[in-house]
C-alpha cells in the first residue's frame, strides 16, 4: 500500500462546523422527552451546508426546500411531531396509540419506514442505523427553516397595505416566494393537485416541530438487521440453498433482474406498441431518437425503462412476471422489518442462458452456468451505516460470501452527471479510516457497456455522513486531496469486509490495506449530481432515462463478472 489519506492535522473550519452540528443534535436528542426542533436551527445555519446555501437569508432557498420535501412524506402539510426509534412496535404504541391508529406512508426520494397518525399529527420513523439520524434531522431542520421563510413571504405586505386575505393566483404566490418557473414545476411535481393546499397551509401557520428519539443503541440496530434477514433466511431454507456460497450485490431492485431473466425482452413487442400509443412525450422522443441513424442510445436500456412503466399499468402481467422469475430461480423478498431494504435471491444454476441480456451472452457457457453453486443476494442499496449492519449480518448468517459488489449513485466533483466512476481509495467519515482496495473493476470492465458517457477509474471516494452535512470548506479539502466521488455506503461496506478477514473490529482513523481482502470486492458509482445542485438533477425525482446508461453499465459489469466467475470457480452443483 502506498500513499496517504486526506490531509492530517486539525479539522478545517468547515469540518468543525459540521462536527459541532452533529454533536448538538445527538446530545439534544438524548432527552427523554420531546424537544423543539427550533433549538437546532442555529447550529444548522452555522454549518453553512452546501445544500442549504441561502438558509440564513430572508430569500427562500427553493432548492433546499424541494430537496427536503422530496425526502419526506407529503404528510408534512399537517405535521406537528416526529418520533424516531429502532422498534416498529415501540413506535406504533407511541403516545398511548395502537398500530391500527397508524398509516404507512412513503417519501418519493428516500426509502425508509414511515407511519402517520392523523389524530396525533405525528410521524413515526424507523431508524436502521445512526445514518438515518444524520440524514433525517438536518432534512427536518431545513424544511422548518424554509417553511417559515415561505410563511413570512406569503404573509408579507407593503407599507400601508392590509394583510392578504388569500393567496391569489399561483403566479402571484410564486412571485411572492421568488421561485423560478423551473422550480415551480418541481413543486408541482411533488404535490400535484395538492399544491394549492400546500401553499394555503404554509401561509396559514409557521412550522414548529417537536422531535423525540425513542432509544438508539447499537444492539437495537443489530436486532433490527437480524429481523431484516429473517425472511431471506426462510427462502434460502425453503429452497435448500443455505449451504450455497453467495455473491453479495448492493444495487437496485430492477437492473440485475432485467439483465438475467429476459422477462422484459419477452414482452418487447407489447412494450413498443404501448409506447407508440401512450402519448408520453418523453418515451416517444427517446423511441424516435433510437430510430435515427448513428444513435448512441441503447435499445435494451430503453426497453427496460419503458417496461417498468408498462408493468405498472398491467397488474396481470406483473403476476405473470413474478411466476416466470420464480421458475428461473429469482425470488423477490420484500422487507418485513424496520429496515426498508428489499432484496432478490438469484440462483445461478436455474437461469436460462438464452434469456440473458444480449450484452452478456459471451460471459459464460451454458454448461458452466448450469453447474454453478452460487446464489446472488442483491439488495437495494441502504443508507450509510446501514450498509455495514446488513453486510455484517449476511456474513454471520451464511457460510461463504465470495464476492461483494457495490453499485450506487454519487455526487461528483470532477465529472459530468451520468458518468461512471470507479474508485480504488475510499475515505470513510464515520470511522475516519482510509481504505486502499484492489477494486476488481476498472475502465476495461465497464467501458464496453458505455456509449455516450465517460468512465473514470482510479478515482478516490469519500463516504460522508449525509448529504446535508457538507459545506464548501469541507468539500474543498477533499478535492485538494483528489477525493472527487461523494457518497455514503462504500466506507461502511468496506468496514464489514475488513472484519470478514480480521480477528478485530474495523479500526478508527487508520490507513487500511484491503488489497487482499477475504473476498473479491468491486465498487462502481454513477454520477447522479454534484454537491451543489440540490434537487435538480438525476436524483431529484427518481431515475430518469439520462441515468440509465451509467446505472446499467455498472450492473452489466457486475453481472458479467459474476457470470465469468462461474467458469473459474471450483466446485459445482451435483448433477
Amino acid at each position: 500500500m502506498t500513499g496517504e489519506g486526506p490531509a492530517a492535522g486539525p479539522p478545517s473550519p468547515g469540518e468543525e462546523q459540521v462536527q459541532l452540528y452533529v454533536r448538538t443534535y445527538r446530545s439534544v436528542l438524548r432527552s427523554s422527552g420531546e424537544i423543539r426542533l427550533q433549538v437546532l436551527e442555529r447550529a444548522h445555519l452555522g454549518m453553512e451546508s452546501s445544500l442549504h446555501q441561502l438558509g440564513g437569508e430572508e430569500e427562500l432557498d427553493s432548492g433546499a426546500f424541494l430537496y427536503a420535501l422530496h425526502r419526506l412524506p407529503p404528510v408534512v402539510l399537517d405535521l406537528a411531531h416526529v418520533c424516531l426509534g429502532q422498534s416498529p412496535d415501540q413506535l406504533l404504541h407511541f403516545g398511548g396509540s395502537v398500530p391500527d391508529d397508524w398509516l404507512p406512508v412513503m417519501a418519493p426520494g428516500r426509502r425508509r419506514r414511515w407511519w402517520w397518525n392523523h389524530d396525533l399529527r405525528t410521524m413515526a420513523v424507523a431508524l436502521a442505523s445512526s445514518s438515518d439520524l444524520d440524514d433525517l434531522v438536518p432534512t427536518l431542520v431545513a424544511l422548518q427553516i424554509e417553511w417559515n421563510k415561505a410563511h413570512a413571504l406569503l404573509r408579507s405586505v407593503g407599507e400601508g397595505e392590509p394583510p392578504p386575505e388569500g393567496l391569489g393566483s399561483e403566479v402571484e404566490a410564486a412571485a411572492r416566494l421568488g421561485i423560478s418557473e423551473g422550480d415551480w414545476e418541481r413543486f408541482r411535481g411533488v404535490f400535484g393537485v395538492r399544491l394549492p393546499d400546500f401553499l394555503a397551509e404554509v401561509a396559514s401557520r409557521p412550522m414548529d416541530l417537536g422531535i423525540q428519539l425513542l432509544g438508539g443503541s447499537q444492539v437495537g440496530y443489530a436486532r433490527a438487521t437480524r429481523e431484516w434477514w429473517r425472511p431471506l433466511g426462510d427462502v434460502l431454507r425453503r429452497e435448500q440453498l443455505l449451504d450455497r456460497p453467495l455473491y453479495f450485490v448492493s444495487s437496485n431492485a430492477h437492473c440485475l433482474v432485467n439483465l438475467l431473466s429476459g422477462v422484459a425482452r419477452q414482452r418487447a413487442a407489447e412494450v413498443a406498441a404501448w409506447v407508440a400509443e401512450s402519448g408520453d412525450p418523453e418515451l416517444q422522443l427517446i423511441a424516435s431518437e433510437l430510430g435515427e441513424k448513428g444513435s448512441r442510445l441503447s435499445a435494451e436500456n430503453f426497453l427496460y425503462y419503458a417496461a417498468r412503466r408498462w408493468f405498472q399499468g398491467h397488474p396481470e402481467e406483473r403476476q405473470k412476471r413474478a411466476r416466470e422469475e420464480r421458475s428461473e430461480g429469482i425470488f423477490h423478498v420484500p422487507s418485513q422489518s424496520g429496515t426498508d431494504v428489499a432484496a432478490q435471491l438469484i440462483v445461478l444454476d436455474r437461469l436460462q442462458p438464452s434469456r440473458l441480456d444480449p450484452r452478456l451472452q459471451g460471459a459464460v457457457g451454458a454448461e458452466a452456468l448450469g453447474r454453478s453453486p452460487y446464489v446472488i443476494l442483491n439488495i437495494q442499496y441502504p443508507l450509510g451505516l446501514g450498509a455495514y449492519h446488513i453486510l455484517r449480518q449476511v456474513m454471520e448468517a451464511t457460510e461463504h460470501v465470495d464476492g461483494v459488489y457495490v453499485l450506487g449513485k454519487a455526487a461528483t466533483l470532477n465529472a459530468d452527471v451520468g458518468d461512471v466512476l470507479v474508485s480504488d481509495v475510499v475515505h470513510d467519515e464515520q470511522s475516519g479510516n482510509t481504505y486502499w482496495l484492489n477494486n476488481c473493476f476498472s475502465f476495461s470492465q465497464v467501458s464496453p457497456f458505455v456509449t455516450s458517457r465517460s468512465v473514470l477509474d482510479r478515482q478516490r471516494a469519500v463516504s460522508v455522513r449525509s448529504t446535508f452535512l457538507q459545506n464548501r470548506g469541507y468539500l474543498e479539502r477533499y478535492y485538494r486531496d483528489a477525493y472527487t466521488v461523494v457518497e455514503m455506503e462504500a466506507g461502511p461496506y468496506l468496514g464489514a469486509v475488513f472484519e470478514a478477514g480480521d480477528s478485530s473490529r474495523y479500526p478508527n482513523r487508520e490507513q487500511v490495506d484491503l488489497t487482499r481482502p477475504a473476498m473479491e470486492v468491486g465498487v462502481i458509482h454513477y454520477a447522479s449530481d454534484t454537491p451543489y445542485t440540490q434537487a435538480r438533477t438525476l436524483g431529484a425525482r427518481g431515475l430518469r432515462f439520462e441515468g440509465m446508461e451509467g446505472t446499467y453499465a455498472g450492473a452489466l459489469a457486475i453481472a458479467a463478472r459474476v457470470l465469468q466467475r462461474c467458469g473459474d470457480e471450483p466446485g459445482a452443483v451435483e448433477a
Side-chain angles (χ1 to χ4, degrees), residues 400-515:
H400 304 287
V401 176
D402 283 355
V404 172
Y405 308 103
V406 179
L407 170 64
K409 61 184 179 180
T412 175
L413 297 177
N414 67 340
D416 288 332
V417 171
D419 288 346
V420 184
L421 314 167
V422 183
S423 302
D424 51 21
V425 181
V426 177
H427 178 72
D428 178 30
E429 283 191 346
Q430 301 279 359
S431 64
N433 292 329
T434 300
Y435 295 98
W436 301 79
L437 63 146
N438 181 18
N439 195 334
C440 71
F441 299 114
S442 65
F443 178 90
S444 61
Q445 282 80 43
V446 182
S447 60
F449 307 116
V450 176
T451 57
S452 63
R453 301 291 180 179
S454 297
V455 178
L456 285 69
D457 64 357
R458 300 178 181 177
Q459 299 299 293
R460 295 183 175 189
V462 54
S463 297
V464 298
R465 289 182 180 274
S466 91
T467 49
F468 268 108
L469 298 179
Q470 307 163 31
N471 55 35
R472 285 190 176 272
Y474 205 72
L475 292 168
E476 285 169 1
R477 172 200 174 225
Y478 284 119
Y479 191 47
R480 286 195 301 270
D481 292 321
Y483 287 82
T484 56
V485 181
V486 183
E487 53 86 66
M488 291 184 65
E489 289 78 42
Y493 272 132
L494 294 176
V497 169
F498 172 88
E499 292 180 359
D502 199 277
S503 60
S504 59
R505 190 176 187 271
Y506 65 76
N508 289 288
R509 301 188 180 280
E510 290 190 12
Q511 304 294 310
V512 180
D513 183 358
L514 281 182
T515 55

Side-chain angles (χ1 to χ4, degrees), residues 103 256 418:
L103 178 70
L256 281 183

Side-chain angles (χ1 to χ4, degrees), residues 6 47-48 87 175 190 224 228 283 292 313 402 461-462 485 492 514-515 540:
M47 177 184 59
E48 298 180 336
S87 166
V190 172
W228 168 84
L283 293 178
E292 295 176 0
D402 283 355
V462 54
V485 181
L514 281 182
T515 55

Side-chain angles (χ1 to χ4, degrees), residues 228-342:
W228 168 84
W229 170 259
R230 184 178 51 78
L232 282 161
D234 290 344
V235 174
L236 289 171
R237 189 175 298 106
R238 185 190 72 214
E239 297 295 320
Q240 299 182 345
L241 300 169
L242 274 175
D243 60 341
R244 297 277 195 103
L246 293 182
Y247 292 129
F248 177 88
V249 180
S250 174
S251 60
N252 54 51
H254 54 88
C255 282
L256 281 183
V257 173
N258 282 334
L259 293 172
L260 298 176
S261 73
V263 168
R265 290 188 304 283
Q266 291 262 318
R267 295 161 172 80
E270 293 95 322
V271 173
W274 174 79
V275 168
E277 298 170 1
S278 68
D280 187 302
E282 181 201 17
L283 293 178
Q284 293 181 347
L285 176 61
I286 299 168
S288 175
E289 291 178 1
L290 273 170
E292 295 176 0
K293 184 178 180 179
S295 173
R296 300 170 71 183
L297 300 180
S298 164
E300 289 85 3
N301 289 354
F302 177 61
L303 169 62
Y304 301 144
Y305 183 68
R308 195 174 184 187
R309 299 195 195 178
W310 182 80
F311 277 113
Q312 288 172 353
H314 295 78
E316 71 287 353
E317 290 294 332
R318 289 204 305 271
Q319 294 174 2
K320 291 181 183 177
R321 173 178 185 157
R323 290 195 296 269
E324 291 176 28
E325 289 173 346
R326 284 195 297 271
S327 72
E328 294 185 53
I330 298 174
F331 303 93
H332 293 264
V333 185
S335 173
Q336 299 176 20
S337 71
T339 301
D340 190 12
V341 176

